[in-house]
Amino acid sequence: DVKVTQSSRYLVKRTGEKVFLECVQDMDHENMFWYRQDPGLGLRLIYFSYDVKMKEKGDIPEGYSVSREKKERFSLILESASTNQTSMYLCASKMGQYNSPLHFGNGTRLTVT
Amino acid sequence: DAKTTQPNSMESNEEEPVHLPCNHSTISGTDYIHWYRQLPSQGPEYVIHGLTSNVNNRMASLAIAEDRKSSTLILHRATLRDAAVYYCILRDDGVGDDKIIFGKGTRLHILP
């Protein structure tokens, strides 16, 4: 089975801190994604990557950046965390072929105080 | 991007079939219809996908309207473990960057 591992299940950070959310997949998938999930808003795409060192903006990239130095790892970076970035963050990966299914991690619940 | 519309929530009785609807009136010829579900405290998981024909797998069935403007996910015999949020999304087979957008989904409640 594909495993997508997010480094922390729960994280509490202070406003203004630089925050790193890490995601690792073990199936050599080409594509990786970061979403955030908020009540009433569903899943919203922040950034995605279809290859090492490649990144594309999703629908809500403001306030975030990403890094993909190795194929298996996709990091989401909050340069200066703010309280409106308190959310559930979900990482996903998939094979490069069209229509291959997404595999999600179990999420990181980030609280910014 | 073509969008989907789903009811916010639905209820069903345990051990009865459940039909979850999805409207996608602006679907293009190359869009596949995908369904995912998200159990409590977990990330979403893939359920099924199809293009034109109805599809079956061990989890569910997907019925696609002849004009492809709507589809229905069918759970043949709901259990309490099927209580989840179900997402219907469109994936364009012709797009290389594969930007995958989810909506708000349908929250399914199963009554014992």
Side-chain angles (χ1 to χ4, degrees), chain A residues 57-74:
Chain A
K57 292 180 180 179
D59 288 341
I60 52 163
E62 297 79 19
Y64 303 95
S65 61
V66 289
S67 172
R68 191 152 180 220
E69 296 296 318
K70 293 185 178 181
K71 192 174 186 180
E72 68 271 19
R73 186 180 296 270
F74 192 35

Side-chain angles (χ1 to χ4, degrees), chain A residues 32-52:
Chain A
M32 296 188 74
F33 303 78
W34 274 107
Y35 293 87
R36 65 177 281 178
Q37 186 170 34
D38 302 286
L41 296 177
L43 279 154
R44 293 181 292 167
L45 181 63
I46 305 171
Y47 268 98
F48 64 106
S49 168
Y50 53 89
D51 203 350
V52 175

Side-chain angles (χ1 to χ4, degrees), chain A residues 4-95:
Chain A
V4 178
T5 303
Q6 296 185 229
S7 54
S8 304
R9 187 84 168 120
Y10 298 95
L11 209 52
V12 180
K13 296 292 182 181
R14 293 191 183 277
T15 301
E17 277 193 79
K18 188 168 186 175
V19 181
F20 293 86
L21 301 183
E22 305 288 349
C23 176
V24 178
Q25 48 93 4
D26 66 356
M27 282 302 292
D28 204 35
H29 283 173
E30 287 83 3
N31 298 11
M32 296 188 74
F33 303 78
W34 274 107
Y35 293 87
R36 65 177 281 178
Q37 186 170 34
D38 302 286
L41 296 177
L43 279 154
R44 293 181 292 167
L45 181 63
I46 305 171
Y47 268 98
F48 64 106
S49 168
Y50 53 89
D51 203 350
V52 175
K53 296 192 186 295
M54 304 302 288
K55 62 183 179 184
E56 294 285 341
K57 292 180 180 179
D59 288 341
I60 52 163
E62 297 79 19
Y64 303 95
S65 61
V66 289
S67 172
R68 191 152 180 220
E69 296 296 318
K70 293 185 178 181
K71 192 174 186 180
E72 68 271 19
R73 186 180 296 270
F74 192 35
S75 303
L76 181 69
I77 304 156
L78 287 65
E79 293 290 341
S80 177
S82 64
T83 55
N84 62 14
Q85 292 178 309
T86 292
S87 186
M88 171 68 82
Y89 290 88
L90 288 156
C91 174
S93 73
K94 63 178 278 295
M95 291 191 296

Side-chain angles (χ1 to χ4, degrees), chain B residues 43-101:
Chain B
E45 62 176 345
Y46 167 80
V47 177
I48 200 167
H49 78 276
L51 182 63
T52 55
S53 305
N54 294 344
V55 184
N56 300 297
N57 66 21
R58 63 175 179 81
M59 292 179 73
S61 296
L62 176 60
I64 301 171
E66 197 169 334
D67 63 5
R68 300 207 329 121
K69 293 185 176 182
S70 65
S71 60
T72 303
L73 182 72
I74 302 165
L75 308 178
H76 294 286
R77 193 165 169 269
T79 69
L80 295 177
R81 286 175 294 179
D82 291 321
V85 178
Y86 288 79
Y87 297 95
C88 166
I89 66 173
L90 301 181
R91 299 266 301 273
D92 187 340
D93 191 38
V95 176
D97 62 11
D98 211 6
K99 181 179 178 180
I100 303 172
I101 303 297

